[in-house]
Amino acid sequence: MSEYKLSENNWTRVAVFAGGDRGHYRTDFDCFVGVDRGSLWVLEENLPLTLAVGDFDSVSAEERQVIQKRAQYFVQAQPEKDDTDLELALLTIFEQNPQAQVTIFGALGGRIDHMLANVFLPSSPKIAPYMERLALQDEQNLLTYRPAGKHLIDPIEGMAYVAFMPTQDIALTIEGAKYPLNEKNFFFKKVYASNEFIGGPISLSFDSGYVVIMYSKDRN
């Protein structure tokens, strides 16, 4: 692995470009990280490629050479590994800067096995401690995560709906939402979809596991 220090450069807002479907992305970040073929996306959008991570089995030898030449830091993994390329990129980032706030683009859509692996990234014990610093975003959706406990979930401008997906079969308490959920009206759903904010934060509490919070909006 190359020697580098993300923290020394104050790179706290990190954009990660995964190798899934291209589409919506933002540029209000301190640095840009490419995951395997996602590194080409960064370069083709004329963004500075701070870090490229992956086994690079989804690019040609010539493309890999371009990525290696233009990336400030380059980390190549063996194809046979326990972590996905995206997990490896996140672990590399958080090892260097545990305070990083990471938004991942290109992680939704495409191959469904890859997408589901991305949605449930905090199921990895190595990534779980950083779940509240992760977000997955595309044009219609923004996913964030919360561990067991009590949390205030803030609205996001432009996102009309919010859904809650517990990763264990547990009771959620949702208060301050258009459709509250508590011990008086509890019913089990794998995904509590199409809820809405009503002027302020939503209170969410639960005892174990973690919850995927899905902000979304309708297509234009």
Side-chain angles (χ1 to χ4, degrees), residues 172-189:
L172 298 185
T173 299
I174 301 171
E175 300 288 358
K178 184 176 182 179
Y179 305 108
L181 183 70
N182 52 51
E183 60 183 11
K184 295 180 180 179
N185 68 344
F186 180 79
F187 63 100
F188 177 76
K189 295 279 284 186

Side-chain angles (χ1 to χ4, degrees), residues 15-127:
V16 174
F17 286 61
D21 285 355
R22 296 193 184 193
H24 168 84
Y25 70 93
R26 307 193 332 263
T27 60
D28 53 329
F29 296 95
D30 300 314
C31 69
F32 300 88
V33 174
V35 179
D36 207 275
R37 191 168 188 84
S39 302
L40 291 178
W41 182 6
V42 177
L43 294 177
E44 289 168 3
E45 296 300 324
N46 294 314
L47 297 170
L49 181 57
T50 307
L51 172 66
V53 180
D55 54 30
F56 299 99
D57 60 355
S58 63
V59 300
S60 68
E62 292 77 10
E63 289 171 330
R64 185 190 61 78
Q65 290 175 357
V66 170
I67 293 168
Q68 187 170 7
K69 181 178 180 180
R70 296 184 59 184
Q72 185 175 357
Y73 303 107
F74 182 83
V75 177
Q76 183 163 6
Q78 295 297 322
E80 297 79 15
K81 58 188 185 302
D82 293 332
D83 299 320
T84 66
D85 287 337
L86 179 54
E87 288 171 338
L88 178 60
L90 294 176
L91 292 172
T92 302
I93 292 166
F94 287 123
E95 283 172 3
Q96 295 296 319
N97 186 359
Q99 304 304 313
Q101 296 284 346
V102 179
T103 302
I104 305 168
F105 303 99
L108 305 173
R111 278 179 51 178
I112 194 168
D113 59 335
H114 287 173
M115 183 181 73
L116 289 174
N118 296 338
V119 168
F120 295 106
L121 281 166
S123 293
S124 165
K126 293 180 285 188
I127 293 175

